[in-house]
Amino acid sequence: MFRISAIIVLLFSSYLCKSQQITKKEVQIAFIADVHLQDIFAKFEDNDYKGIKNPKTGEYANIRTMNAQLHSTRIFNENYFAFLEALNDIVKRNIKQVALPGDFSDDGQPVHVRGLRKILNEYSKKYGISFFITTGNHDVVRPFSQDATKTDFLGKGGKEQIISSSRNNLEKVKSDLEPIITKDIKNWGYKETINEMRDFGFFPKKTDLYWETPFSNYTYEQYNFEKAQKESVLEKRTYLIKNTNLYLPDASYLVEPVKGVWLLGIDANAYVPNEKLSGEPNNPHDFSGANTGYNNVLIYKSHLLNWIKKVSVEAKKKGKILIAFSHYPMVEFNDDASPELKQLFGANKMQLQRVPDEEVAQQFADAGIQIHFGGHMHINDTGVRTSANGNTLFNIQTPSLAAYMPAYKILTIHSDSEFEVETIVIGNVSNFNSLFPFYEEEYTHLEEIKNKDIWNKEILKAKDYAAFTNWHLKELVRLRFLPEDFPVDLLKSIEKLSGRDLLELNKNQSEIDKDLKANSLTISDFELWTGFDMILDFYRLKSADELAFNEIGKKKLKQYDLICKHLKKSNDPKLVLWAEIFWKTMNGKPSDHFKIDLKNNKIDNLSVK
C-alpha cells in the first residue's frame, strides 16, 4: 500500500512539475521608441486658447501644419492616434512591461509631457502595465528649462499660428495671426521632466524588486524601498562635466520589474559645454543639444561605462537577465554602408554625424551589454558587433510610430540565452484621418498665396496609417532629402532613366541576358520604373529595412539586385558607390522577426520570405 501511495505521489509531483513548465509564462517586453507625443487635444494651463475647430466634427485641436510635418523626419499630429493604437495592441497581447527608449515627447513641452503622463497612468491603472522610460534629445532639449517658440501650428484660415512661451522670442518672427503666449510650450529641463514622469522608472516604486542608479551606494542584498527612495533624489544623481566645474543630472537607472530580469535604462544625453560659459547657474545656453549620442557619452559621461560594467558583473553573479535600452544606437545603423555614404553624400549629410564610432560598440560590448534597444533614427535595423575581446553586442533599432514604417518591438525572453524579437507594424489606426479636414483648409490657403513648394494633396487619400506614413516619406524625399542631401549630378544622371537604362549602363549585353535568364526576368520588367523609384525605394529600405520588402515586392528587389551588380562594374565611381550603398541597404541583418542566441552569438531570421 505504501509503495502504491509513494508511486502516486511521485507521479502527481511529476505531473505538477510538467504542468508548471508548460504553463510558465515567458517574459515579454514591448519597446516603443520615438513616440514624439504632441497632445493635440490638451488645454493650456495659463491660456484659454484651445486650437482651431474641426470643420467636419466641430472638435477643437491644436495641431501643426501638414507643410511642417512633410518637411520633418517625423509626423507631428497623427502619431497621437498611432500611439494609442500601439498601446491597445499591447493590451490585447497581455504584455505588462513596456519600455520607451526616449523622445517620448515633442520637445519636452509641459503640455505634451503632462499629456503623455495622463495616458500612461490610464493604461497603468486600467491594465496593470508598468512603463519604463528614458530620456531622448527631444525630451530634455537642454539640461535646464528654457523658453521656446513654435511657428508652425495650424491657425484660422489654414494659416500658420505662432505659439511661444515668451514674447521676447518673437522679435524676428512675422505672422498674419496674433501669437499665442503660454508657458506650456517652453522646453522643460531635467528637473521638471523627470519629476513629471517619476512613476515610469526614473524613481523607485514599492513594486520594484530592485532599483538603483549609477550613484547608489547600497548592494542588492541591502536593498529596500526606503533606502532607494532616499538616494533617488535628482540632487544625488549628478556628474561633473569634463573641463568645467559644472554638474548635470543623470537620469539612468536599473530596475528589476519581474523576478530575474534587469532593465537598464541608460540616459545617454551627453550635453557638450560651450567653450565660453556664462558663469550663471543652470543656464541652458551654456550647452549644445544632445543629439550626437554615444560618441559624446564616451567623452562626457564615462561614469556610465564603469557603472554598466559593475551592473553586468552583478547580473551574471546573481543569474539576472540584463536588457539595456536607451535613446541612441550603440552600433552603426546603415547596414555597414556608412563609409560609402560618407564618400558619396558627404560627412555632414544623411545624418551621418549620428553614426556611433566603432569604439562605442567595442566599449559597451566589453562592459557587458549583450542586447540593447535604441531609437533616435526612426528606423528599423539590427546591428551586431563583436569586440576584440570576443564580446558580442546586438543593437536593435526600434522604429518610430511617427514615421515610415510605424512599428514597435516585442522582446520575448525564452531563456537566459535565447531571445525572440518581433516587429509589430501599426498600419491600421483609428481616427488617423480625422484631422484631414484641417489640412484641406491649409491646402486652400497655400494655393491662394501661390506657395511654390506646395505639398501633394494625394496624401489626404491615404487608405490607412501605413499608407499615410508612406506618403509622408515620399513627400519628405521630394521636399527635403533630395534638395538637401542628394548629390545634384548623381540625381540628374539617374532620376529620369528607366530601370532598363540603368541596367544597360553595363555595355556587356550577353552578361545582362545571362543574368536575366538566371533570375527569370525580362528586360521589359525594368521599363516599368525609373531612377526616382529606385531612390524612393532606397529611402524606404533605409527607414524600414525588411518591413519595406512586401511593399517593394520580391520581383523588384531581384531587379535592384541585378542593377547593383551591373552598376558596380561602371566606370563612374559615383554609380559604383550608389550600387554598393543600395545593395548593403537591402541586405542587412534580420530586423523584422528573429531569434538571438547568446550562447553562440548568432542571429536567426524567423520572417517568412
Side-chain angles (χ1 to χ4, degrees):
M1 184 68 186
F2 175 78
R3 286 183 180 178
I4 294 170
S5 298
I7 290 167
I8 290 170
V9 168
L10 283 169
L11 287 170
F12 185 68
S13 300
S14 175
Y15 168 78
L16 273 180
C17 288
K18 287 181 180 176
S19 176
Q20 285 169 357
Q21 286 170 7
I22 292 165
T23 58
K24 185 183 176 185
K25 196 175 187 314
E26 293 164 319
V27 175
Q28 288 192 306
I29 306 168
F31 292 84
I32 312 178
D34 297 277
V35 172
H36 287 289
L37 188 89
Q38 178 174 280
D39 190 350
I40 59 176
F41 300 119
K43 292 179 181 177
F44 298 131
E45 289 188 345
D46 59 355
N47 193 303
D48 292 334
Y49 181 75
K50 52 186 178 180
I52 53 176
K53 193 175 181 179
N54 190 316
K56 191 170 182 180
T57 67
E59 188 175 22
Y60 282 83
N62 201 7
I63 64 172
R64 310 277 276 282
T65 64
M66 176 66 84
N67 189 57
Q69 58 184 10
L70 292 182
H71 282 82
S72 172
T73 53
R74 71 183 196 265
I75 290 162
F76 296 127
N77 306 321
E78 286 70 22
N79 51 308
Y80 175 88
F81 303 111
F83 181 52
L84 296 179
E85 198 73 45
L87 291 179
N88 291 335
D89 189 69
I90 287 166
V91 168
K92 287 175 189 173
R93 295 171 187 271
N94 201 31
I95 297 171
K96 299 300 182 184
Q97 315 298 325
V98 179
L100 277 64
D103 278 7
F104 48 80
S105 67
D106 176 54
D107 269 322
Q109 304 98 328
V111 66
H112 303 320
V113 178
R114 283 198 309 266
L116 178 64
R117 175 182 55 78
K118 289 172 185 174
I119 291 170
L120 299 189
N121 275 338
E122 180 187 343
Y123 278 82
S124 290
K125 289 171 184 173
K126 200 170 179 180
Y127 304 108
I129 296 174
S130 295
F131 291 97
F132 302 94
I133 65 178
T134 190
T135 51
N137 56 300
H138 281 277
D139 304 316
V140 189
V141 177
R142 294 293 186 276
F144 307 107
S145 185
Q146 64 178 6
D147 281 317
T149 299
K150 294 289 183 188
T151 63
D152 55 13
F153 278 92
L154 187 60
K156 290 179 182 177
K159 297 177 181 179
E160 286 189 333
Q161 172 68 62
I162 296 170
I163 302 182
S164 178
S165 64
S166 170
R167 289 197 179 275
N168 297 334
N169 291 7
L170 303 179
E171 294 169 2
K172 299 177 182 178
V173 181
K174 292 182 180 179
S175 174
D176 293 337
L177 302 174
E178 179 66 22
I180 305 300
I181 308 300
T182 170
K183 292 293 183 185
D184 271 346
I185 213 72
K186 73 191 304 181
N187 300 142
W188 263 351
Y190 267 101
K191 181 182 175 182
E192 301 86 354
T193 302
I194 301 307
N195 278 309
E196 186 72 21
M197 304 303 286
R198 64 181 303 113
D199 291 334
F200 311 115
F202 288 129
F203 292 90
K205 297 174 82 170
K206 286 184 178 179
T207 52
D208 297 333
L209 300 175
Y210 183 68
W211 188 94
E212 73 168 49
T213 78
F215 313 96
S216 299
N217 58 19
Y218 49 77
T219 65
Y220 190 82
E221 290 74 23
Q222 298 167 336
Y223 180 77
N224 62 59
F225 171 69
E226 290 73 22
K227 193 176 288 186
Q229 200 173 33
K230 281 180 185 176
E231 294 194 25
S232 68
V233 293
L234 215 51
E235 290 76 15
K236 292 186 177 182
R237 297 160 68 181
T238 61
Y239 64 100
L240 179 67
I241 297 291
K242 187 178 179 181
N243 300 325
T244 76
N245 60 355
L246 301 175
Y247 284 82
L248 290 182
D250 182 330
S252 302
Y253 62 91
L254 171 71
V255 63
E256 185 174 0
V258 178
K259 191 173 182 180
V261 176
W262 278 8
L263 261 181
L264 186 67
I266 304 170
D267 172 12
N269 279 2
Y271 302 91
V272 179
N274 298 333
E275 283 188 26
K276 191 174 181 181
L277 300 172
S278 68
E280 301 168 8
N282 303 344
N283 187 335
H285 306 296
D286 278 339
F287 302 90
S288 68
N291 66 3
T292 300
Y294 279 102
N295 289 342
N296 282 339
V297 168
L298 293 185
I299 300 169
Y300 294 98
K301 297 182 85 171
S302 57
H303 67 277
L304 283 176
L305 266 175
N306 296 327
W307 176 57
I308 290 166
K309 285 174 186 175
K310 179 178 80 72
V311 166
S312 64
V313 167
E314 287 299 308
K316 282 177 185 172
K317 272 187 195 174
K318 293 174 170 53
K320 308 294 183 183
I321 293 167
L322 182 63
I323 305 296
F325 71 103
S326 72
H327 185 55
Y328 305 94
M330 286 184 174
V331 172
E332 192 267 4
F333 47 76
N334 289 316
D335 297 312
D336 297 327
S338 290
E340 291 86 359
L341 284 163
K342 193 173 183 179
Q343 286 182 66
L344 183 59
F345 292 92
N348 296 318
K349 301 289 186 180
M350 303 294 284
Q351 302 196 72
L352 286 167
Q353 69 277 14
R354 294 184 170 189
V355 175
D357 295 337
E358 286 301 313
E359 186 188 357
V360 169
Q362 299 285 318
Q363 292 263 25
F364 282 95
D366 286 343
I369 299 294
Q370 292 178 287
I371 295 177
H372 172 261
F373 284 81
H376 194 41
M377 301 311 303
H378 302 184
I379 63 170
N380 180 52
D381 184 68
T382 305
V384 183
R385 288 292 187 274
T386 299
S387 73
N389 295 325
N391 299 306
T392 300
L393 165 62
F394 295 87
N395 183 80
I396 299 148
Q397 283 301 115
T398 309
S400 171
L401 293 171
Y404 176 88
M405 175 83 68
Y408 73 93
K409 302 270 186 186
I410 297 173
L411 172 70
T412 302
I413 302 171
H414 293 298
S415 71
D416 60 358
S417 63
E418 191 178 325
F419 302 82
E420 184 179 343
V421 179
E422 189 176 3
T423 313
I424 309 299
V425 174
I426 303 297
N428 294 307
V429 172
S430 299
N431 301 313
F432 87 95
N433 57 0
S434 62
L435 306 176
F436 285 12
F438 288 118
Y439 304 137
E440 295 276 2
E441 290 188 345
E442 178 191 343
Y443 191 87
T444 300
H445 169 66
L446 292 174
E447 276 189 318
E448 287 172 356
I449 64 171
K450 296 181 170 55
N451 183 288
K452 62 184 178 70
D453 291 321
I454 197 166
W455 44 269
N456 191 333
K457 202 177 179 182
E458 289 295 306
I459 192 173
L460 301 183
K461 294 179 182 176
K463 69 182 188 302
D464 55 30
Y465 188 62
F468 181 76
T469 62
N470 186 40
W471 262 108
H472 173 259
L473 179 64
K474 191 174 182 178
E475 283 294 84
L476 186 59
V477 169
R478 181 177 73 88
L479 296 169
R480 176 175 162 180
F481 288 162
L482 291 185
E484 291 184 8
D485 277 350
F486 228 80
V488 175
D489 51 349
L490 177 64
L491 183 62
K492 281 183 179 178
S493 69
I494 67 173
E495 183 182 19
K496 293 180 181 177
L497 294 182
S498 68
R500 177 174 181 167
D501 295 331
L502 287 167
L503 186 65
E504 290 179 343
L505 287 174
N506 177 9
K507 304 298 183 185
N508 191 331
Q509 192 60 48
S510 62
E511 196 175 49
I512 292 171
D513 291 340
K514 183 182 175 183
D515 281 340
L516 289 172
K517 188 176 180 181
N519 287 277
S520 303
L521 295 168
T522 65
I523 197 69
S524 59
D525 293 328
F526 292 75
E527 294 171 349
L528 302 174
W529 53 271
T530 66
F532 177 81
D533 296 318
M534 186 180 188
I535 292 168
L536 178 59
D537 282 339
F538 162 70
Y539 280 103
R540 282 195 181 111
L541 290 164
K542 190 174 185 300
S543 298
D545 207 277
E546 289 183 328
L547 301 180
F549 284 4
N550 285 339
E551 191 153 9
I552 296 170
K554 288 181 182 178
K555 191 172 183 179
K556 202 172 181 187
L557 287 167
K558 200 184 283 187
Q559 291 172 51
Y560 286 146
D561 194 61
L562 280 191
I563 292 282
C564 291
K565 178 181 176 181
H566 288 275
L567 284 182
K568 285 178 188 178
K569 298 173 182 177
S570 168
N571 293 322
D572 184 339
K574 288 188 176 179
L575 287 178
V576 173
L577 281 171
W578 170 246
E580 185 64 28
I581 290 164
F582 197 100
W583 188 87
K584 283 187 174 183
T585 304
M586 62 188 282
N587 286 283
K589 294 280 191 300
S591 62
D592 177 6
H593 188 192
F594 53 94
K595 185 173 74 173
I596 294 172
D597 176 359
L598 291 184
K599 271 186 184 172
N600 300 297
N601 288 327
K602 68 174 189 172
I603 186 167
D604 292 320
N605 203 337
L606 300 177
S607 300
V608 178
K609 298 297 176 190

